[in-house]
């Protein structure tokens, strides 16, 4: 029969603060002194213990009477550390370490790791001092309070473990780094009016015991890219600031692991000693990389989530508090999502780094921080399309900033073409405006002249997969105007026609085409033009040659709508001259091979249409139809069309069958 275990829920031990999280580890370590097989895990945001033949009172009795916490009243390495700091080395501490017993060595390993210099565990500040907060004094103070106030000790303990209300807590001021509730609480706008937060001494005692499990190891120091802080498990470097006022505020982040399967202290110790979180084949170093590792399940088996805590300056430069951040779940069901983010990480790593000291905030550039934050939000909530859209916008904005800065253009590569799966994450059901932008963005994807080259100062390599900034200034072909989308679309069409040899076909080959219904909405001015201007640059960064539309979504079947008249019908008359597609009409092509429209003819038509010279434009196109044996009706009188709108519409790819269906209405019926 399976073993039956008693389950004990400790609702006061939760992930609301770093100290409360550390209490869970400390509680497991304390109980394991008496019950080595006791197991612990996290359920619904609080800590749970599981054990046979045990009661709630036996746990409380053990903690209050029999538990021997790890001695932290003396930091034996303090003198050696001070000498090493003066000499800028780690030799004194390591020489002293070789003469210590195992327990003393384990205590040191949780504080610092030597790597030419002593690198400190951010949980303990600089070897046990966090500004004016001395953890050794806190240990002594908590021990004296518990022993002195024996009658109050039990209610304090129950308050710590179960969150039971209590009339009064003692003044205890050395724990506010881990416990946000222990910070001073200022009256709004009044610097001198404040109230000291209070916690139970049992909370600090258990949290300190749990923090000592985060020991550094020599294996964590072998990677050439590993920073000093990364010598300790699940510790990430500080995220890049998103504003100049944030420079130097964040020190690091602890990504506390949460597991839902019961584990013994030995198993938890192994988990913390490994500290496994990787992106691809390397360890995660930044918070956004930890988030991607969680999304990709690139962590130890059995982890359910991470509870990130940002260690951040709030009152002074030497004092920082652990601010809880959004919990990130670990899952394997979103592997495709993580692969999309993997493509971005190398590019983000190459962006200019931000300053780390507040004195250098004048050098803030603002490139990495917003991207890192957005990647983190996507990894935390990959099913939210808004998070993906925000990330795609930031990528385009960052690309534009690099493009407009001459120094950055020479040092940083542009982002490569993104997977079209990004589009599906952004818009599971795209609106007509986005479908139009998608069709325009696919122009030139299969050539060395993608439309992104008209938006950013980039050029493609021979395989059309890698982008690079042009060596000189932004070339003349960059003509996109986001603030005036109609003018910008027309400018792109004009520039592509100018850059193409007049004897070559139209340079508007595309991977995707728009339906007649959507194009009719555009030319009848029923679309949100600002949305089109907002999204063309981001969607131009996607490799549309790899896009696989859903069956029937982008078919070449002609539109079933028969009332497509007015300006839509007018633009279909000119559309074949701007499309490089061979339009099938009856048994053969619309134009014979020797009369296929070239870029030179399309350019002449474009200028006439933009200037609203309708009679001349109609005559030029009609002559070409007649030369191909396709007589058309006479010029319709009373034409009133916005030339700028029609010029922009001619850039938008239309399916071949819809073009043929529209042209058919212009042709005279053949004689019997």
């Amino acid at each position: 029969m399976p073993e039956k275990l008693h389950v004990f829920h400790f609702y006061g031990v939760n992930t609301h603060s770093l100290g409360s999280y550390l209490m869970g580890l400390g509680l497991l370590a304390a109980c394991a002194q008496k019950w080595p097989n006791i197991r612990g895990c996290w359920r619904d945001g609080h800590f749970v213990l599981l054990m046979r033949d045990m009661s709630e009172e036996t746990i409380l009795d053990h903690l209050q009477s029999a538990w021997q916490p790890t001695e932290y009243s003396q930091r034996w390495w303090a003198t050696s550390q001070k000498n090493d700091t003066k000499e800028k080395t780690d030799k004194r501490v390591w020489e002293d370490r070789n003469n210590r017993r195992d327990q003393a060595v384990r205590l040191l390993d949780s504080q610092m790791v030597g790597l030419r210099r002593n690198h400190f565990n951010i949980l303990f500040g600089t070897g046990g001092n966090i500004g004016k907060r001395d953890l050794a004094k806190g240990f002594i103070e908590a021990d004296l309070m518990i022993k002195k106030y024996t009658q109050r000790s039990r209610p304090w303990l129950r308050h710590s473990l179960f969150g039971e209300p209590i009339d009064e807590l003692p003044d205890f001021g050395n724990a506010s780094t881990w416990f946000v509730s222990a910070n001073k609480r200022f009256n709004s706008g009044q610097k001198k009016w404040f109230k000291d937060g209070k916690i139970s001494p049992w909370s600090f005692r258990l949290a300190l015991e749990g923090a000592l499990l985060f020991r550094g190891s020599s294996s964590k120091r072998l990677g050439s890219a590993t920073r000093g802080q990364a010598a300790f498990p699940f510790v990430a470097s500080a995220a890049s600031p998103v504003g100049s006022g944030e420079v130097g505020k964040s020190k690091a982040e602890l990504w506390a692991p949460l597991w839902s399967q019961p584990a013994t202290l030995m198993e938890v110790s192994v988990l913390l000693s490994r500290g496994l979180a990787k992106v691809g084949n390397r360890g995660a170093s930044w918070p956004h990389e930890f988030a991607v590792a969680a999304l990709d399940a690139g962590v130890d088996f059995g982890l359910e989530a991470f509870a990130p805590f940002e260690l951040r300056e709030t009152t002074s430069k030497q004092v920082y508090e652990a601010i809880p951040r959004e919990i990130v779940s670990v899952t394997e069901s979103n592997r495709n999502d993580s692969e999309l983010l993997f493509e971005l990480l190398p590019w983000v790593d190459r962006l200019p780094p931000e300053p780390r000291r507040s004195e250098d905030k004048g050098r803030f550039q603002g490139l990495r921080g917003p991207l890192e934050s957005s990647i983190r939000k996507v990894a935390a909530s990959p099913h939210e399309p808004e998070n993906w859209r925000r990330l795609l916008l930031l990528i385009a904005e960052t690309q534009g900033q690099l493009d407009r800065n001459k120094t950055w253009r020479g040092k940083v590569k542009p982002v490569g073409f993104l997977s079209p799966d990004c589009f599906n994450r952004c818009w599971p059901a795209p609106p007509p405006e986005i479908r139009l932008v998608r069709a325009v963005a696919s122009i030139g994807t299969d050539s060395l002249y993608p439309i992104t080259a008209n938006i950013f100062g980039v050029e493609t390599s021979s395989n059309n997969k890698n982008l690079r900034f042009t060596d000189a200034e932004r070339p003349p072909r960059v003509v996109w105007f986001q603030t005036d989308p109609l003018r910008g679309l027309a400018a792109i069409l004009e520039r592509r026609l100018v850059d193409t040899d007049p004897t070559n076909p139209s340079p508007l080959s595309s991977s995707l085409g728009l339906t007649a219904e959507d194009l009719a909405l555009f030319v009848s001015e029923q679309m949100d033009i600002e949305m089109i201007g907002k999204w063309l640059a981001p969607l131009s960064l996607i490799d549309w040659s790899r896009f696989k539309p859903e069956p029937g979504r982008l078919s070449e079947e002609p539109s079933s709508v028969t009332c497509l008249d007015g300006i839509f019908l007018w633009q279909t008359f000119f559309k074949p001259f701007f499309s490089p597609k061979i339009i099938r009409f009856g048994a053969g092509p619309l134009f014979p091979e020797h009369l296929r429209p070239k870029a030179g003819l399309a350019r002449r038509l474009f200028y006439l249409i933009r200037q609203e010279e309708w009679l001349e434009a109609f005559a030029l196109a009609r002559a070409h139809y007649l030369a191909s044996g396709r007589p058309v009706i006479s010029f319709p009188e009373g034409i009133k069309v916005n030339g700028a709108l029609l010029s922009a519409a001619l850039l938008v790819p239309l399916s071949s069958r819809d073009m043929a269906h529209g042209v058919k209405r212009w042709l005279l019926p053949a004689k019997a």
Side-chain angles (χ1 to χ4, degrees):
M1 293 181 62
E3 184 180 25
K4 293 185 178 180
L5 302 176
H6 293 285
V7 180
F8 303 93
H9 295 266
F10 299 92
Y11 295 101
V13 183
N14 48 54
T15 58
H16 296 169
S17 68
L18 176 56
S20 296
Y21 170 83
L22 296 175
M23 284 172 59
L25 305 183
L27 179 60
L28 180 62
C31 293
Q33 283 188 1
K34 184 175 182 179
W35 304 286
N37 292 327
I38 195 170
R39 291 172 171 82
C41 62
W42 296 91
R43 295 287 176 88
D44 300 325
H46 67 274
F47 197 69
V48 175
L49 285 180
L50 302 95
M51 185 63 186
R52 289 189 311 167
D53 304 328
M54 190 173 64
S55 67
E56 184 179 290
E57 292 302 318
T58 58
I59 295 176
L60 298 178
D61 290 340
H62 167 69
L63 293 175
Q64 195 168 8
S65 305
W67 173 41
Q68 296 295 323
T70 302
E71 185 69 27
Y72 198 85
S73 57
Q74 292 183 349
R75 295 182 292 114
W76 58 262
W77 57 85
T79 302
S80 300
Q81 175 190 338
K82 185 177 181 180
N83 292 331
D84 278 346
T85 302
K86 292 180 180 179
E87 299 173 6
K88 298 181 179 180
T89 183
D90 65 343
K91 294 182 179 179
R92 301 299 182 106
V93 170
W94 282 102
E95 289 175 357
D96 202 0
R97 181 181 187 274
N98 293 334
N99 298 320
R100 298 286 174 170
R101 295 184 179 274
D102 292 345
Q103 182 61 30
V105 169
R106 286 194 291 269
L107 188 63
L108 173 69
D109 289 345
S110 65
Q111 312 291 313
M112 66 185 76
V113 172
L115 185 62
R116 297 182 181 177
R117 296 284 299 272
N118 290 321
H119 295 272
F120 301 104
N121 187 348
I122 193 66
L123 285 176
F124 294 91
T126 55
N129 281 335
I130 307 176
K132 296 181 179 180
R133 299 167 184 169
D134 191 325
L135 298 180
K137 291 182 180 179
F139 176 85
I140 296 173
E141 184 181 356
D143 188 61
L144 290 175
M145 285 184 177
I146 291 172
K147 291 178 179 178
K148 181 178 180 180
Y149 302 101
T150 54
Q151 293 183 350
R152 301 180 186 178
S153 178
R154 191 76 159 203
W156 290 346
L157 180 57
R158 296 191 65 87
H159 172 76
S160 295
L161 297 181
F162 306 109
E164 294 181 357
I166 192 171
D167 294 335
E168 185 178 359
L169 287 171
D171 294 326
F172 187 80
N174 276 295
S176 53
T177 290
W178 297 341
F179 295 89
V180 178
S181 60
N183 288 334
K184 290 182 178 181
R185 302 175 186 178
F186 289 89
N187 189 28
S188 177
Q190 303 294 329
K191 295 183 178 180
K192 296 182 179 180
W193 289 36
F194 63 86
K195 179 181 179 181
D196 284 317
K198 295 182 179 181
I199 64 167
S200 165
W202 281 105
S203 298
F204 177 77
R205 201 179 200 188
L206 290 169
L208 181 59
E209 190 73 23
L212 293 174
L213 295 176
F214 283 85
R215 292 190 289 268
S217 63
S218 59
S219 61
K220 302 292 290 186
R221 303 196 303 271
L222 297 180
S224 60
T226 302
R227 297 167 177 82
Q229 291 177 341
F232 298 93
F234 300 113
V235 175
S237 299
S240 298
V242 296
S244 59
E246 299 291 310
V247 175
K249 296 292 186 182
S250 183
K251 298 299 181 184
E253 286 194 22
L254 174 68
W255 280 62
L258 304 176
W259 61 95
S260 58
Q261 297 299 320
T264 64
L265 177 63
M266 180 62 69
E267 292 169 335
V268 173
S269 298
V270 171
L271 167 68
L272 296 179
S273 66
R274 286 167 55 85
L276 179 61
K278 62 179 182 179
V279 284
N281 295 321
R282 64 182 179 86
S285 299
W286 302 90
H288 66 283
E289 292 179 343
F290 268 86
V292 175
L295 183 65
D296 188 53
V299 297
D300 274 303
F301 178 77
L303 288 189
E304 184 180 59
F306 283 107
F309 296 95
E310 180 188 3
L311 298 163
R312 178 183 180 85
E313 287 183 4
T314 56
T315 56
S316 70
K317 292 184 178 181
Q318 296 181 339
V319 177
Y320 47 86
E321 281 74 42
I323 310 299
R325 298 303 184 196
E326 182 181 9
I327 290 180
V328 179
S329 299
V330 174
T331 175
E332 295 185 6
S333 61
N334 297 312
R335 186 61 61 88
N336 292 335
D337 296 332
S338 62
E339 290 176 354
L340 298 178
L341 297 179
F342 279 153
E343 296 179 0
L344 291 176
L345 296 183
W347 178 64
V348 174
D349 288 341
R350 293 194 297 266
L351 294 177
E354 301 294 351
R356 292 294 169 182
R357 301 185 307 169
S358 58
E359 296 84 358
D360 300 329
K361 63 182 180 180
R363 295 165 44 208
F364 174 76
Q365 301 168 98
L367 294 177
R368 295 188 56 150
L371 278 170
E372 291 179 9
S373 177
S374 186
I375 290 174
R376 184 169 175 168
K377 288 182 179 179
V378 168
S381 302
H383 299 297
E384 293 291 337
E386 183 60 33
N387 291 338
W388 286 97
R389 291 197 287 266
R390 176 58 180 161
L391 176 59
L392 192 57
L393 276 175
L394 281 172
I395 294 171
E397 289 175 8
T398 305
Q399 181 97 310
Q401 288 180 278
L402 296 173
D403 187 25
R404 291 187 292 270
N405 187 292
K406 185 176 181 180
T407 302
W408 290 342
R409 285 171 60 87
K411 295 182 178 180
V412 185
K413 293 182 179 179
V415 66
F417 281 115
L418 305 175
S419 169
D421 288 336
C422 290
F423 179 85
N424 297 329
R425 301 302 191 277
C426 293
W427 292 280
E433 292 86 352
I434 297 302
R435 294 197 293 266
L436 182 143
V437 174
R438 176 178 62 184
V440 173
S442 71
I443 293 175
T445 304
D446 55 350
S447 70
L448 294 178
Y449 192 5
I451 201 169
T452 191
N454 299 122
I455 301 172
F456 306 105
V458 296
E459 57 188 2
T460 61
S461 59
S462 57
N463 60 8
N464 194 33
K465 295 301 178 184
N466 297 320
L467 291 174
R468 60 175 179 268
F469 287 118
T470 52
D471 295 333
E473 300 290 338
R474 302 176 79 197
R477 64 170 176 264
V478 182
V479 293
W480 169 241
F481 306 102
Q482 179 177 335
T483 55
D484 190 349
L486 288 182
R487 181 186 172 201
L489 292 173
I492 290 176
L493 175 57
E494 178 185 13
R495 190 69 224 183
R496 296 183 72 85
L497 293 173
V498 169
D499 291 342
T500 304
D501 189 291
T503 60
N504 288 339
S506 171
L508 300 181
S509 62
S510 61
S511 305
L512 304 171
L514 199 65
T515 63
E517 294 92 336
D518 287 342
L519 188 55
L521 291 176
F522 176 70
V523 297
S524 60
E525 301 184 66
Q526 297 182 47
M527 281 191 178
D528 186 345
I529 300 299
E530 290 185 3
M531 181 184 292
I532 295 173
K534 176 181 179 180
W535 286 106
L536 181 57
L539 294 188
S540 73
L541 298 175
I542 293 178
D543 182 5
W544 294 107
S545 64
R546 294 190 286 159
F547 182 70
K548 296 180 180 179
E550 297 178 10
R553 289 287 299 275
L554 297 171
S555 67
E556 282 288 305
E557 293 296 327
S559 170
S560 59
V561 179
T562 59
C563 58
L564 298 174
D565 296 317
I567 189 173
F568 174 80
L569 191 60
W570 184 238
Q571 65 90 32
T572 58
F573 181 74
F574 299 106
K575 199 74 172 179
F577 297 95
F578 294 86
S579 174
K581 298 178 181 178
I582 297 178
I583 303 172
R584 295 292 172 183
F585 202 86
L590 177 63
F591 300 114
E593 182 62 29
H594 67 285
L595 289 176
R596 282 187 63 188
K598 304 299 182 181
L601 176 58
R603 191 190 311 170
R604 291 171 58 196
L605 278 173
F606 170 79
Y607 289 131
L608 291 172
I609 292 170
R610 188 176 63 178
Q611 297 168 12
E612 300 184 6
E613 299 289 346
W614 302 120
L615 184 60
E616 291 82 352
F618 185 86
L620 180 60
R622 184 170 183 264
H624 203 81
Y625 278 114
L626 290 173
S628 302
R630 307 289 184 183
V632 298
I633 63 176
S634 301
F635 176 74
E637 299 292 339
I639 292 294
K640 293 182 180 181
V641 178
N642 184 337
L645 178 61
L646 186 58
S647 299
L650 292 173
L651 176 69
V652 182
L654 185 65
S655 66
S656 299
R657 294 192 178 186
D658 274 335
M659 275 192 284
H661 187 71
V663 170
K664 183 178 180 180
R665 300 180 62 182
W666 288 92
L667 300 182
L668 292 173
K671 294 182 179 180

